[in-house]
Amino acid sequence: MDFKFDISNGGSSSDLLYHWNYILAIKEDIRILLEFNHSAKNAYSQHYPLHHLIISRFDFLTNKQENYLNFYFIFSLLLPVLFYYCLKNRFPQINTTKKIFISSIIYFLPNFQSSAIWGNSHISSLFFFLFSIYFLNILEKKDEKKINFNIFFVVFFMACASYIKQYYIIFFFYLFLHIILTARFKNI
């Protein structure tokens, strides 16, 4: 497939091809993840494979590259909805219209637009990051019955976000400090 729209002078479309080949390879044989240095040997992505692994498990996404890109674009449109729920949970006192406006700003960010169009794994990572923040907001409300449940989801979703895009790991220190201050050691 030849993509005519690439404002990065070919970088985005070549990155898509690179990741697409990795997704297809994992779909074909998941055991390549166990091979030592498979990225250098087979020229696959050096990114952690969670995003690729998730996509490769859905046949309707891997049958055609267009299906993957179209689905991922539509899936990306839900990111501001999740951000809205994080805002709603964290700031209930703010007007709903303002929260909708703030969450909709994501659509205008160039990085979001590029990631949504090209099926970049950054969107997957952002979803996991926002789920982690959502459960962190719930944890702050201190529902004693579900405190460990919420801690688990905060850590699990942040680990998934970090496993897709490694720079999310910097938030773990903040999360653990916040969890300790919110939940206390006896509840963890």
PDB file of all heavy atoms in Angstrom, residues 12 15 26-27 39 53-55 59 62 84 93 95 108 110-111 113 126 141-143 161 166-167 171 173 179:
ATOM      1  N   SER A  12       6.989   8.580   8.716  1.00  0.00           N
ATOM      2  CA  SER A  12       5.822   7.954   9.339  1.00  0.00           C
ATOM      3  C   SER A  12       5.379   6.712   8.591  1.00  0.00           C
ATOM      4  O   SER A  12       5.057   5.692   9.197  1.00  0.00           O
ATOM      5  CB  SER A  12       4.656   8.945   9.416  1.00  0.00           C
ATOM      6  OG  SER A  12       4.966   9.997  10.291  1.00  0.00           O
ATOM      7  N   ASP A  15       7.807   3.975   9.242  1.00  0.00           N
ATOM      8  CA  ASP A  15       7.622   3.482  10.612  1.00  0.00           C
ATOM      9  C   ASP A  15       6.409   2.556  10.681  1.00  0.00           C
ATOM     10  O   ASP A  15       6.446   1.522  11.337  1.00  0.00           O
ATOM     11  CB  ASP A  15       7.458   4.663  11.571  1.00  0.00           C
ATOM     12  CG  ASP A  15       7.479   4.251  13.024  1.00  0.00           C
ATOM     13  OD1 ASP A  15       8.392   3.482  13.410  1.00  0.00           O
ATOM     14  OD2 ASP A  15       6.600   4.700  13.783  1.00  0.00           O
ATOM     15  N   ILE A  26       4.423 -11.538  14.527  1.00  0.00           N
ATOM     16  CA  ILE A  26       3.931 -12.072  15.804  1.00  0.00           C
ATOM     17  C   ILE A  26       2.653 -12.878  15.579  1.00  0.00           C
ATOM     18  O   ILE A  26       2.440 -13.913  16.213  1.00  0.00           O
ATOM     19  CB  ILE A  26       3.705 -10.944  16.824  1.00  0.00           C
ATOM     20  CG1 ILE A  26       5.039 -10.322  17.237  1.00  0.00           C
ATOM     21  CG2 ILE A  26       2.982 -11.453  18.059  1.00  0.00           C
ATOM     22  CD1 ILE A  26       4.914  -9.086  18.102  1.00  0.00           C
ATOM     23  N   LYS A  27       1.821 -12.396  14.653  1.00  0.00           N
ATOM     24  CA  LYS A  27       0.598 -13.154  14.335  1.00  0.00           C
ATOM     25  C   LYS A  27       0.957 -14.527  13.775  1.00  0.00           C
ATOM     26  O   LYS A  27       0.356 -15.534  14.134  1.00  0.00           O
ATOM     27  CB  LYS A  27      -0.245 -12.384  13.325  1.00  0.00           C
ATOM     28  CG  LYS A  27      -1.479 -13.144  12.898  1.00  0.00           C
ATOM     29  CD  LYS A  27      -2.209 -12.442  11.784  1.00  0.00           C
ATOM     30  CE  LYS A  27      -3.407 -13.274  11.361  1.00  0.00           C
ATOM     31  NZ  LYS A  27      -4.087 -12.721  10.211  1.00  0.00           N
ATOM     32  N   SER A  39      15.048  -8.551  17.176  1.00  0.00           N
ATOM     33  CA  SER A  39      14.907  -7.270  16.480  1.00  0.00           C
ATOM     34  C   SER A  39      16.065  -7.038  15.513  1.00  0.00           C
ATOM     35  O   SER A  39      15.867  -6.570  14.407  1.00  0.00           O
ATOM     36  CB  SER A  39      14.797  -6.125  17.482  1.00  0.00           C
ATOM     37  OG  SER A  39      15.939  -6.075  18.300  1.00  0.00           O
ATOM     38  N   LEU A  53       1.599  -7.231  20.126  1.00  0.00           N
ATOM     39  CA  LEU A  53       0.998  -8.499  20.543  1.00  0.00           C
ATOM     40  C   LEU A  53      -0.527  -8.395  20.607  1.00  0.00           C
ATOM     41  O   LEU A  53      -1.238  -9.275  20.126  1.00  0.00           O
ATOM     42  CB  LEU A  53       1.562  -8.909  21.903  1.00  0.00           C
ATOM     43  CG  LEU A  53       1.157 -10.257  22.451  1.00  0.00           C
ATOM     44  CD1 LEU A  53       1.625 -11.373  21.543  1.00  0.00           C
ATOM     45  CD2 LEU A  53       1.732 -10.440  23.846  1.00  0.00           C
ATOM     46  N   ILE A  54      -1.021  -7.310  21.177  1.00  0.00           N
ATOM     47  CA  ILE A  54      -2.472  -7.107  21.266  1.00  0.00           C
ATOM     48  C   ILE A  54      -3.090  -7.033  19.869  1.00  0.00           C
ATOM     49  O   ILE A  54      -4.083  -7.707  19.579  1.00  0.00           O
ATOM     50  CB  ILE A  54      -2.811  -5.839  22.083  1.00  0.00           C
ATOM     51  CG1 ILE A  54      -2.428  -6.033  23.551  1.00  0.00           C
ATOM     52  CG2 ILE A  54      -4.291  -5.484  21.960  1.00  0.00           C
ATOM     53  CD1 ILE A  54      -2.475  -4.761  24.383  1.00  0.00           C
ATOM     54  N   ILE A  55      -2.516  -6.231  19.013  1.00  0.00           N
ATOM     55  CA  ILE A  55      -3.047  -6.072  17.649  1.00  0.00           C
ATOM     56  C   ILE A  55      -2.993  -7.400  16.891  1.00  0.00           C
ATOM     57  O   ILE A  55      -3.926  -7.755  16.172  1.00  0.00           O
ATOM     58  CB  ILE A  55      -2.274  -4.980  16.879  1.00  0.00           C
ATOM     59  CG1 ILE A  55      -2.424  -3.620  17.566  1.00  0.00           C
ATOM     60  CG2 ILE A  55      -2.724  -4.905  15.421  1.00  0.00           C
ATOM     61  CD1 ILE A  55      -3.825  -3.093  17.674  1.00  0.00           C
ATOM     62  N   ASP A  59      -7.775 -11.022  14.203  1.00  0.00           N
ATOM     63  CA  ASP A  59      -7.676 -11.296  12.770  1.00  0.00           C
ATOM     64  C   ASP A  59      -8.222 -10.161  11.908  1.00  0.00           C
ATOM     65  O   ASP A  59      -7.666  -9.857  10.863  1.00  0.00           O
ATOM     66  CB  ASP A  59      -8.411 -12.592  12.419  1.00  0.00           C
ATOM     67  CG  ASP A  59      -7.643 -13.818  12.867  1.00  0.00           C
ATOM     68  OD1 ASP A  59      -6.404 -13.732  12.998  1.00  0.00           O
ATOM     69  OD2 ASP A  59      -8.277 -14.861  13.099  1.00  0.00           O
ATOM     70  N   THR A  62      -5.520  -7.641  11.337  1.00  0.00           N
ATOM     71  CA  THR A  62      -4.303  -8.036  10.648  1.00  0.00           C
ATOM     72  C   THR A  62      -4.543  -8.573   9.238  1.00  0.00           C
ATOM     73  O   THR A  62      -3.584  -8.904   8.543  1.00  0.00           O
ATOM     74  CB  THR A  62      -3.544  -9.099  11.476  1.00  0.00           C
ATOM     75  OG1 THR A  62      -4.403 -10.198  11.730  1.00  0.00           O
ATOM     76  CG2 THR A  62      -3.067  -8.508  12.789  1.00  0.00           C
ATOM     77  N   TYR A  84     -11.962  12.635  29.553  1.00  0.00           N
ATOM     78  CA  TYR A  84     -13.101  13.327  30.162  1.00  0.00           C
ATOM     79  C   TYR A  84     -13.515  12.640  31.471  1.00  0.00           C
ATOM     80  O   TYR A  84     -13.759  13.296  32.478  1.00  0.00           O
ATOM     81  CB  TYR A  84     -14.286  13.380  29.189  1.00  0.00           C
ATOM     82  CG  TYR A  84     -15.570  13.783  29.869  1.00  0.00           C
ATOM     83  CD1 TYR A  84     -15.820  15.122  30.173  1.00  0.00           C
ATOM     84  CD2 TYR A  84     -16.509  12.836  30.250  1.00  0.00           C
ATOM     85  CE1 TYR A  84     -16.987  15.502  30.832  1.00  0.00           C
ATOM     86  CE2 TYR A  84     -17.672  13.204  30.895  1.00  0.00           C
ATOM     87  CZ  TYR A  84     -17.903  14.529  31.189  1.00  0.00           C
ATOM     88  OH  TYR A  84     -19.044  14.906  31.843  1.00  0.00           O
ATOM     89  N   GLN A  93     -16.300  19.276  40.705  1.00  0.00           N
ATOM     90  CA  GLN A  93     -16.837  20.626  40.895  1.00  0.00           C
ATOM     91  C   GLN A  93     -16.767  21.481  39.625  1.00  0.00           C
ATOM     92  O   GLN A  93     -17.445  22.499  39.524  1.00  0.00           O
ATOM     93  CB  GLN A  93     -16.114  21.341  42.045  1.00  0.00           C
ATOM     94  CG  GLN A  93     -14.697  21.761  41.758  1.00  0.00           C
ATOM     95  CD  GLN A  93     -13.666  20.650  41.917  1.00  0.00           C
ATOM     96  OE1 GLN A  93     -14.000  19.496  42.105  1.00  0.00           O
ATOM     97  NE2 GLN A  93     -12.407  21.019  41.836  1.00  0.00           N
ATOM     98  N   ASN A  95     -17.460  22.596  35.823  1.00  0.00           N
ATOM     99  CA  ASN A  95     -18.584  22.530  34.898  1.00  0.00           C
ATOM    100  C   ASN A  95     -18.326  21.471  33.817  1.00  0.00           C
ATOM    101  O   ASN A  95     -17.224  21.356  33.284  1.00  0.00           O
ATOM    102  CB  ASN A  95     -18.759  23.911  34.267  1.00  0.00           C
ATOM    103  CG  ASN A  95     -19.964  24.002  33.377  1.00  0.00           C
ATOM    104  OD1 ASN A  95     -20.473  23.003  32.871  1.00  0.00           O
ATOM    105  ND2 ASN A  95     -20.432  25.210  33.176  1.00  0.00           N
ATOM    106  N   PHE A 108      -6.625  18.331  18.781  1.00  0.00           N
ATOM    107  CA  PHE A 108      -5.846  19.333  18.051  1.00  0.00           C
ATOM    108  C   PHE A 108      -4.340  19.185  18.223  1.00  0.00           C
ATOM    109  O   PHE A 108      -3.578  19.899  17.586  1.00  0.00           O
ATOM    110  CB  PHE A 108      -6.279  20.748  18.473  1.00  0.00           C
ATOM    111  CG  PHE A 108      -7.718  21.017  18.167  1.00  0.00           C
ATOM    112  CD1 PHE A 108      -8.664  21.046  19.178  1.00  0.00           C
ATOM    113  CD2 PHE A 108      -8.147  21.216  16.861  1.00  0.00           C
ATOM    114  CE1 PHE A 108     -10.003  21.274  18.896  1.00  0.00           C
ATOM    115  CE2 PHE A 108      -9.473  21.441  16.570  1.00  0.00           C
ATOM    116  CZ  PHE A 108     -10.409  21.475  17.595  1.00  0.00           C
ATOM    117  N   PRO A 110      -0.801  17.876  17.525  1.00  0.00           N
ATOM    118  CA  PRO A 110      -0.183  17.229  16.357  1.00  0.00           C
ATOM    119  C   PRO A 110       0.295  15.800  16.637  1.00  0.00           C
ATOM    120  O   PRO A 110       0.154  14.929  15.773  1.00  0.00           O
ATOM    121  CB  PRO A 110       1.010  18.131  16.030  1.00  0.00           C
ATOM    122  CG  PRO A 110       0.671  19.442  16.633  1.00  0.00           C
ATOM    123  CD  PRO A 110      -0.164  19.145  17.844  1.00  0.00           C
ATOM    124  N   ASN A 111       0.811  15.540  17.823  1.00  0.00           N
ATOM    125  CA  ASN A 111       1.275  14.195  18.144  1.00  0.00           C
ATOM    126  C   ASN A 111       0.108  13.215  18.171  1.00  0.00           C
ATOM    127  O   ASN A 111       0.230  12.084  17.698  1.00  0.00           O
ATOM    128  CB  ASN A 111       2.013  14.197  19.481  1.00  0.00           C
ATOM    129  CG  ASN A 111       2.700  12.886  19.759  1.00  0.00           C
ATOM    130  OD1 ASN A 111       2.834  12.037  18.892  1.00  0.00           O
ATOM    131  ND2 ASN A 111       3.125  12.703  20.983  1.00  0.00           N
ATOM    132  N   GLN A 113      -2.729  13.534  16.473  1.00  0.00           N
ATOM    133  CA  GLN A 113      -3.192  13.364  15.100  1.00  0.00           C
ATOM    134  C   GLN A 113      -2.300  12.398  14.327  1.00  0.00           C
ATOM    135  O   GLN A 113      -2.786  11.509  13.638  1.00  0.00           O
ATOM    136  CB  GLN A 113      -3.243  14.722  14.386  1.00  0.00           C
ATOM    137  CG  GLN A 113      -4.291  15.646  14.934  1.00  0.00           C
ATOM    138  CD  GLN A 113      -4.224  17.031  14.333  1.00  0.00           C
ATOM    139  OE1 GLN A 113      -3.442  17.299  13.418  1.00  0.00           O
ATOM    140  NE2 GLN A 113      -5.043  17.936  14.840  1.00  0.00           N
ATOM    141  N   LEU A 126      -1.178   5.633  25.889  1.00  0.00           N
ATOM    142  CA  LEU A 126      -1.977   6.688  26.531  1.00  0.00           C
ATOM    143  C   LEU A 126      -3.264   6.135  27.130  1.00  0.00           C
ATOM    144  O   LEU A 126      -3.692   6.584  28.211  1.00  0.00           O
ATOM    145  CB  LEU A 126      -2.315   7.792  25.532  1.00  0.00           C
ATOM    146  CG  LEU A 126      -1.265   8.860  25.321  1.00  0.00           C
ATOM    147  CD1 LEU A 126      -1.658   9.779  24.175  1.00  0.00           C
ATOM    148  CD2 LEU A 126      -1.057   9.666  26.587  1.00  0.00           C
ATOM    149  N   LYS A 141     -10.506   8.410  46.697  1.00  0.00           N
ATOM    150  CA  LYS A 141     -11.780   8.517  47.406  1.00  0.00           C
ATOM    151  C   LYS A 141     -11.854   7.559  48.582  1.00  0.00           C
ATOM    152  O   LYS A 141     -12.798   7.581  49.348  1.00  0.00           O
ATOM    153  CB  LYS A 141     -12.929   8.290  46.435  1.00  0.00           C
ATOM    154  CG  LYS A 141     -12.999   9.390  45.406  1.00  0.00           C
ATOM    155  CD  LYS A 141     -14.119   9.190  44.441  1.00  0.00           C
ATOM    156  CE  LYS A 141     -14.095  10.355  43.468  1.00  0.00           C
ATOM    157  NZ  LYS A 141     -15.014  10.205  42.397  1.00  0.00           N
ATOM    158  N   LYS A 142     -10.879   6.659  48.671  1.00  0.00           N
ATOM    159  CA  LYS A 142     -10.685   5.768  49.816  1.00  0.00           C
ATOM    160  C   LYS A 142     -11.889   4.899  50.141  1.00  0.00           C
ATOM    161  O   LYS A 142     -12.352   4.863  51.254  1.00  0.00           O
ATOM    162  CB  LYS A 142     -10.263   6.559  51.051  1.00  0.00           C
ATOM    163  CG  LYS A 142      -8.922   7.208  50.915  1.00  0.00           C
ATOM    164  CD  LYS A 142      -8.529   7.870  52.202  1.00  0.00           C
ATOM    165  CE  LYS A 142      -7.168   8.505  52.043  1.00  0.00           C
ATOM    166  NZ  LYS A 142      -6.703   9.134  53.229  1.00  0.00           N
ATOM    167  N   ASP A 143     -12.350   4.182  49.154  1.00  0.00           N
ATOM    168  CA  ASP A 143     -13.353   3.158  49.414  1.00  0.00           C
ATOM    169  C   ASP A 143     -12.614   1.966  50.010  1.00  0.00           C
ATOM    170  O   ASP A 143     -11.945   1.221  49.308  1.00  0.00           O
ATOM    171  CB  ASP A 143     -14.067   2.768  48.118  1.00  0.00           C
ATOM    172  CG  ASP A 143     -15.153   1.743  48.330  1.00  0.00           C
ATOM    173  OD1 ASP A 143     -15.414   1.371  49.495  1.00  0.00           O
ATOM    174  OD2 ASP A 143     -15.750   1.314  47.333  1.00  0.00           O
ATOM    175  N   ALA A 161       1.224   0.621  30.224  1.00  0.00           N
ATOM    176  CA  ALA A 161       1.627   1.846  29.519  1.00  0.00           C
ATOM    177  C   ALA A 161       3.144   1.910  29.379  1.00  0.00           C
ATOM    178  O   ALA A 161       3.666   2.250  28.316  1.00  0.00           O
ATOM    179  CB  ALA A 161       1.110   3.077  30.261  1.00  0.00           C
ATOM    180  N   GLN A 166       8.315   3.203  26.931  1.00  0.00           N
ATOM    181  CA  GLN A 166       9.143   3.141  28.125  1.00  0.00           C
ATOM    182  C   GLN A 166       9.210   4.436  28.916  1.00  0.00           C
ATOM    183  O   GLN A 166       9.465   4.420  30.111  1.00  0.00           O
ATOM    184  CB  GLN A 166      10.575   2.708  27.755  1.00  0.00           C
ATOM    185  CG  GLN A 166      10.663   1.328  27.203  1.00  0.00           C
ATOM    186  CD  GLN A 166      10.272   1.241  25.729  1.00  0.00           C
ATOM    187  OE1 GLN A 166      10.088   2.231  25.063  1.00  0.00           O
ATOM    188  NE2 GLN A 166      10.122   0.024  25.245  1.00  0.00           N
ATOM    189  N   TYR A 167       8.954   5.565  28.305  1.00  0.00           N
ATOM    190  CA  TYR A 167       9.085   6.808  29.054  1.00  0.00           C
ATOM    191  C   TYR A 167       7.986   7.015  30.085  1.00  0.00           C
ATOM    192  O   TYR A 167       8.079   7.908  30.920  1.00  0.00           O
ATOM    193  CB  TYR A 167       9.218   8.030  28.148  1.00  0.00           C
ATOM    194  CG  TYR A 167       8.233   8.152  27.027  1.00  0.00           C
ATOM    195  CD1 TYR A 167       6.946   8.576  27.254  1.00  0.00           C
ATOM    196  CD2 TYR A 167       8.623   7.860  25.732  1.00  0.00           C
ATOM    197  CE1 TYR A 167       6.055   8.702  26.221  1.00  0.00           C
ATOM    198  CE2 TYR A 167       7.731   7.986  24.688  1.00  0.00           C
ATOM    199  CZ  TYR A 167       6.456   8.407  24.937  1.00  0.00           C
ATOM    200  OH  TYR A 167       5.577   8.529  23.906  1.00  0.00           O
ATOM    201  N   PHE A 171       6.614   7.837  35.771  1.00  0.00           N
ATOM    202  CA  PHE A 171       5.450   8.093  36.620  1.00  0.00           C
ATOM    203  C   PHE A 171       5.318   7.096  37.766  1.00  0.00           C
ATOM    204  O   PHE A 171       4.547   7.315  38.683  1.00  0.00           O
ATOM    205  CB  PHE A 171       4.159   8.087  35.787  1.00  0.00           C
ATOM    206  CG  PHE A 171       4.079   9.234  34.828  1.00  0.00           C
ATOM    207  CD1 PHE A 171       4.316   9.040  33.477  1.00  0.00           C
ATOM    208  CD2 PHE A 171       3.783  10.506  35.285  1.00  0.00           C
ATOM    209  CE1 PHE A 171       4.252  10.091  32.593  1.00  0.00           C
ATOM    210  CE2 PHE A 171       3.718  11.573  34.406  1.00  0.00           C
ATOM    211  CZ  PHE A 171       3.957  11.360  33.056  1.00  0.00           C
ATOM    212  N   PHE A 173       7.388   6.313  40.195  1.00  0.00           N
ATOM    213  CA  PHE A 173       7.802   6.875  41.479  1.00  0.00           C
ATOM    214  C   PHE A 173       6.674   7.707  42.081  1.00  0.00           C
ATOM    215  O   PHE A 173       6.339   7.564  43.260  1.00  0.00           O
ATOM    216  CB  PHE A 173       9.070   7.728  41.322  1.00  0.00           C
ATOM    217  CG  PHE A 173       9.471   8.422  42.578  1.00  0.00           C
ATOM    218  CD1 PHE A 173      10.032   7.710  43.628  1.00  0.00           C
ATOM    219  CD2 PHE A 173       9.268   9.783  42.730  1.00  0.00           C
ATOM    220  CE1 PHE A 173      10.393   8.346  44.804  1.00  0.00           C
ATOM    221  CE2 PHE A 173       9.623  10.426  43.900  1.00  0.00           C
ATOM    222  CZ  PHE A 173      10.190   9.703  44.934  1.00  0.00           C
ATOM    223  N   ILE A 179       0.345   6.292  46.242  1.00  0.00           N
ATOM    224  CA  ILE A 179      -0.377   5.139  46.788  1.00  0.00           C
ATOM    225  C   ILE A 179      -0.045   4.958  48.260  1.00  0.00           C
ATOM    226  O   ILE A 179      -0.936   4.726  49.086  1.00  0.00           O
ATOM    227  CB  ILE A 179      -0.063   3.864  45.982  1.00  0.00           C
ATOM    228  CG1 ILE A 179      -0.744   3.932  44.614  1.00  0.00           C
ATOM    229  CG2 ILE A 179      -0.501   2.612  46.726  1.00  0.00           C
ATOM    230  CD1 ILE A 179      -0.298   2.857  43.645  1.00  0.00           C
TER     231      ILE A 179
END
